[in-house]
Amino acid sequence: MTGGSEQLRRPLLALGAGAGEWPWARQRRAAEEQHDNLNRLVRSGSSNIKRHSRLSRATLFKDFFLTVVQWKWVYTLALVSAVYLVSWLVFSVAWYVLPHRCVSGLTNFTSAFLFSVELQTTIGFGNEYVNSECSFFGTVLLAVQCLAGLVLDAILLGMILTKVARAKSRSGKILCSRNAVITQRNGQLCLLFRVADLRKRGMCEAHVRAYFYASQTTEEGERIEWEYTELDMGYDTGRDRVFLLLPVIVSHRIDKNSPLYNMSAEAMAADDFEIVLVVEGVIEATGCTAQAVTSYRGKDILWGHRFKPMVFRDVQGILNVDYSLVDSIIQDNTPRYAACHIRKAPLQASAEEETRQ
């Protein structure tokens, strides 16, 4: 009985220790979050779309350089090693087939392979070297292998250098808030996102774009799956261009041109749409473009909230940024009905007042 009661008490102890919920509830919530991530357009900063095409292999060989650059490091290094090894083997066979008097010290296939490696990598000849008795075919083979080595070095080392200079790791230093919020600013509803850069030197020409993806039905009954609309982030006024010296809050005004104009808080939570946020800029050190991408679904947008400040001054008056607060929000008194109704409310009040007078 003691052991059984102890097992029954463990969930209670876990709950009272600050877990905040039952263990089975945490497991269920984790499973739901994992399933939700699988259904997103963007997951972990990259596309979450499976592409099926019969031309995929043909496209792979046509755009082979960029394809290899986008591979994982283990695959890229394996390919480079395999190409060099095959080239050494091919030329070692060619040198072994030629008369041995063309290359001094060439006695077996192992010595032919060592000669091929030494020649192509310009290490320097050891016991094997080309002598003056080499035939015309040996001279041509020597020139061909030298040229082949130069071409392979240019292509394969170029792939590695391009892969090293990529800004993929730099985009991981750009933080986007876990949730977007909707609040009221100067009487108008606004959709807010928070963006922060962990590095001291921010990106040059950084700008923000947001795209609204949802299925629509035309007047003729045509169903358009995942039709996208670009949200106005202040392109005309320059508010979409940000300087990430400090964390910034970028906003989208929900006006009559916004796809969110007729959505209330309840409708937004239930609707099937996704907003993709793109933060893009140029890295000053390399000149490469870095891009951070994240997405928000209806349940990721919190209505009636605003972001908690994460920049403050210390005792000495120096600005401090607490990046742990990038996702922190506080609740406000924003009305939970659609922006179209908020805009009509003041007009109806003024009309009633004029009628009374």
Side-chain angles (χ1 to χ4, degrees), residues 136-323:
F136 172 77
F137 295 101
T139 305
V140 172
L141 182 60
L142 177 68
V144 169
Q145 185 170 5
C146 291
L147 292 176
L150 292 175
V151 172
L152 288 178
D153 289 342
I155 296 176
L156 299 179
L157 296 181
M159 290 178 180
I160 294 178
L161 291 176
T162 304
K163 192 174 181 64
V164 170
R166 289 176 65 197
K168 186 175 181 179
S169 60
R170 179 64 177 88
S171 60
K173 304 301 184 295
I174 301 174
L175 299 180
C176 298
S177 57
R178 182 187 180 98
N179 297 98
V181 299
I182 291 181
T183 188
Q184 197 169 15
R185 286 185 170 180
N186 299 323
Q188 189 173 20
L189 288 182
C190 295
L191 175 65
L192 307 181
F193 312 89
R194 179 143 66 183
V195 180
D197 193 352
L198 291 176
R199 288 192 175 271
K200 292 182 179 180
R201 302 185 67 87
M203 297 187 301
C204 303
E205 299 296 329
H207 55 274
V208 180
R209 295 286 185 270
Y211 302 92
F212 178 87
Y213 284 86
S215 301
Q216 299 180 3
T217 303
T218 63
E219 297 179 356
E220 294 77 12
E222 179 187 2
R223 178 72 173 178
I224 303 177
E225 298 292 340
W226 296 107
E227 178 74 6
Y228 82 94
T229 304
E230 184 174 0
L231 300 181
D232 183 14
M233 305 299 294
Y235 178 80
D236 296 334
T237 59
R239 291 185 295 108
D240 65 322
R241 294 181 287 276
V242 295
F243 184 55
L244 296 177
L245 179 64
L246 293 173
V248 297
I249 297 177
V250 293
S251 63
H252 162 67
R253 294 181 179 178
I254 305 178
D255 53 15
K256 61 181 180 180
N257 297 322
S258 173
L260 306 175
Y261 186 64
N262 296 316
M263 285 190 184
S264 62
E266 291 74 15
M268 182 172 294
D271 202 351
D272 185 17
F273 69 90
E274 191 163 348
I275 296 177
V276 178
L277 182 70
V278 182
V279 183
E280 190 175 29
V282 179
I283 302 175
E284 181 182 1
T286 62
C288 298
T289 302
Q291 187 181 81
V293 184
T294 187
S295 67
Y296 303 90
R297 307 188 75 175
K299 58 184 178 182
D300 299 325
I301 301 175
L302 303 180
W303 195 295
H305 291 76
R306 62 178 181 270
F307 289 107
K308 185 178 180 180
M310 56 184 295
V311 180
F312 58 92
R313 292 186 182 272
D314 58 13
V315 179
Q316 299 177 353
I318 301 176
L319 284 177
N320 291 259
V321 180
D322 188 358
Y323 289 100

Side-chain angles (χ1 to χ4, degrees), residues 21-231:
E21 55 185 345
W22 297 90
W24 61 266
R26 288 199 303 270
Q27 295 177 0
R28 181 177 180 180
R29 180 171 55 84
E32 291 177 352
E33 290 180 356
Q34 183 178 4
H35 178 73
D36 179 66
N37 290 333
L38 293 175
N39 295 331
R40 291 179 180 270
L41 293 175
V42 177
R43 183 179 63 173
S44 301
S46 59
S47 174
N48 190 35
I49 301 173
K50 292 184 179 180
R51 291 173 171 83
H52 304 275
S53 175
R54 296 180 180 178
L55 302 177
S56 58
R57 294 185 178 180
T59 306
L60 174 66
F61 288 101
K62 288 181 180 179
D63 197 11
F64 187 72
F65 185 89
L66 292 180
T67 301
V68 174
V69 170
Q70 294 176 354
W71 279 356
K72 294 182 179 180
W73 269 109
V74 61
Y75 299 143
T76 303
L77 295 178
L79 175 66
V80 172
S81 302
V83 170
Y84 275 121
L85 183 60
V86 169
S87 66
W88 296 336
L89 287 173
V90 169
F91 284 105
S92 64
V93 171
W95 286 113
Y96 186 72
V97 171
L98 285 177
H100 288 185
R101 70 175 185 274
C102 186
V103 181
S104 300
L106 192 67
T107 57
N108 50 28
F109 182 77
T110 302
S111 59
F113 179 78
L114 292 176
F115 175 75
S116 176
V117 174
E118 293 170 353
L119 175 61
Q120 187 168 328
T121 57
T122 65
I123 294 176
F125 299 110
N127 295 329
E128 302 85 9
Y129 59 91
V130 180
N131 55 42
S132 59
E133 297 181 1
C134 191
S135 62
F136 172 77
F137 295 101
T139 305
V140 172
L141 182 60
L142 177 68
V144 169
Q145 185 170 5
C146 291
L147 292 176
L150 292 175
V151 172
L152 288 178
D153 289 342
I155 296 176
L156 299 179
L157 296 181
M159 290 178 180
I160 294 178
L161 291 176
T162 304
K163 192 174 181 64
V164 170
R166 289 176 65 197
K168 186 175 181 179
S169 60
R170 179 64 177 88
S171 60
K173 304 301 184 295
I174 301 174
L175 299 180
C176 298
S177 57
R178 182 187 180 98
N179 297 98
V181 299
I182 291 181
T183 188
Q184 197 169 15
R185 286 185 170 180
N186 299 323
Q188 189 173 20
L189 288 182
C190 295
L191 175 65
L192 307 181
F193 312 89
R194 179 143 66 183
V195 180
D197 193 352
L198 291 176
R199 288 192 175 271
K200 292 182 179 180
R201 302 185 67 87
M203 297 187 301
C204 303
E205 299 296 329
H207 55 274
V208 180
R209 295 286 185 270
Y211 302 92
F212 178 87
Y213 284 86
S215 301
Q216 299 180 3
T217 303
T218 63
E219 297 179 356
E220 294 77 12
E222 179 187 2
R223 178 72 173 178
I224 303 177
E225 298 292 340
W226 296 107
E227 178 74 6
Y228 82 94
T229 304
E230 184 174 0
L231 300 181

